[in-house]
Amino acid sequence: MNMPYTLIQADEARLGLIVLQTDESLERDLRQLIPATVNLLVSRVPSGDEVTEETLGQMARDLPASAALLPQMQRYAAIGYGCTSGAAVIGPARVADLVGAAAPTDHVTNPLTALLAACQRLQITRLGILSPYTAEVSDRLRRVLSENCIDTPVFGSFNEAREERVVRIAPQSIRAACETLAPRGGIDALFLSCTNLDTLDINAPLEAETGLPVLSSKSTLTAESPAWACGAKVGSVMVK
């Protein structure tokens, strides 16, 4: 027996997120940062077990298919690509083109674009960076920042290439590394690069201890990118 039904019109804010296959941290933490009234829909993109310029660049090939796996019936206020170093290698504009062509969205963002917006708002021109990755990967991010008039005179890395180890770097190790970097001076803020690092609970304590703004790939993505201004605003004032 066929039963009648009615359809409801979904009117909640919708965000899409493309997470790396190897990332175990970003989706969990963003669900804490983004209000429950926002419908966060997630897809995955193939990514290598080891983070190199080659494996990061290969994601450009798979981004359209990953974006197309997001539900297509309604338009997204924004879709985020959750990889700082991937955005540096592929290029933010190309990421936006690849994702935007495959899914109905008003905006495409990524942690690198959001970091640049945060630096502009906070007038940061000298940034201290902590990265989990090898010099090859970290140097690409630093070059992109330099091209956007942001120097990185203070830099530290765990020199780890495997994502399965990056996600398990203890927060106390991250905090200790930042406590070593901050006193070197000559910087306006610290940036904890990588959406897979466990940084959610240490930003605020580090700010209190170092007296510097502490940004991370996760916090900038949710708080600073104009593409997420549809109701996912948390923390700092949005750049519009």
Side-chain angles (χ1 to χ4, degrees):
M1 180 179 184
N2 292 332
M3 304 300 293
Y5 63 88
T6 59
L7 297 177
I8 60 172
Q9 179 64 39
D11 58 0
E12 79 275 11
R14 290 163 60 92
L15 293 175
L17 179 66
I18 300 174
V19 183
L20 273 59
Q21 178 182 352
T22 50
D23 191 305
E24 301 178 41
S25 171
L26 179 60
E27 182 179 356
R28 175 199 66 203
D29 289 351
L30 288 199
R31 290 193 185 279
Q32 294 184 55
L33 291 170
I34 291 175
T37 53
V38 175
N39 190 1
L40 179 64
L41 301 170
V42 180
S43 181
R44 294 264 170 173
V45 62
S47 56
D49 292 334
E50 290 200 4
V51 179
T52 66
E53 283 208 0
E54 181 180 3
T55 59
L56 291 168
Q58 285 174 352
M59 280 190 279
R61 175 194 61 198
D62 297 309
L63 272 174
S66 297
L69 288 174
L70 290 165
Q72 302 280 308
M73 289 298 291
Q74 289 180 269
R75 196 166 187 83
Y76 292 84
I79 296 175
Y81 165 56
C83 185
T84 316
S85 297
V89 170
I90 299 169
R94 190 178 179 207
V95 168
D97 289 343
L98 292 169
V99 174
T105 182
D106 294 329
H107 302 281
V108 177
T109 190
N110 62 80
L112 175 56
T113 296
L115 172 62
L116 294 173
C119 288
Q120 181 182 34
R121 181 178 69 82
L122 297 172
Q123 299 183 325
I124 293 168
T125 60
R126 294 174 65 81
L127 193 63
I129 294 182
L130 176 64
S131 167
Y133 297 129
T134 61
E136 173 198 33
V137 173
S138 302
D139 287 349
R140 172 61 74 97
L141 173 61
R142 297 177 75 185
R143 286 199 302 273
V144 173
L145 290 171
S146 178
E147 290 165 4
N148 285 272
C149 302
I150 300 170
D151 294 329
T152 55
V154 174
F155 175 78
S157 173
F158 296 118
N159 199 35
E160 180 56 63
R162 298 193 66 82
E163 286 283 16
E164 64 190 23
R165 295 177 64 86
V166 168
V167 72
R168 289 169 177 81
I169 294 174
Q172 55 265 38
S173 297
I174 301 170
R175 186 167 179 171
C178 289
E179 290 167 350
T180 299
L181 295 174
R184 296 185 182 181
I187 56 176
D188 305 316
L190 283 168
F191 177 62
L192 314 183
S193 183
C194 179
T195 56
N196 209 14
L197 270 184
D198 190 0
T199 60
L200 187 62
D201 296 325
I202 64 174
N203 284 35
L206 275 172
E207 285 192 346
E209 183 168 344
T210 64
L212 294 168
V214 178
L215 311 172
S216 71
S217 293
K218 292 169 184 171
S219 69
T220 54
L221 181 62
T222 53
E224 296 296 339
S225 174
W228 288 66
C230 63
K233 174 183 172 183
V234 290
S236 305
V237 176
M238 283 283 184
V239 178
K240 303 242 180 143

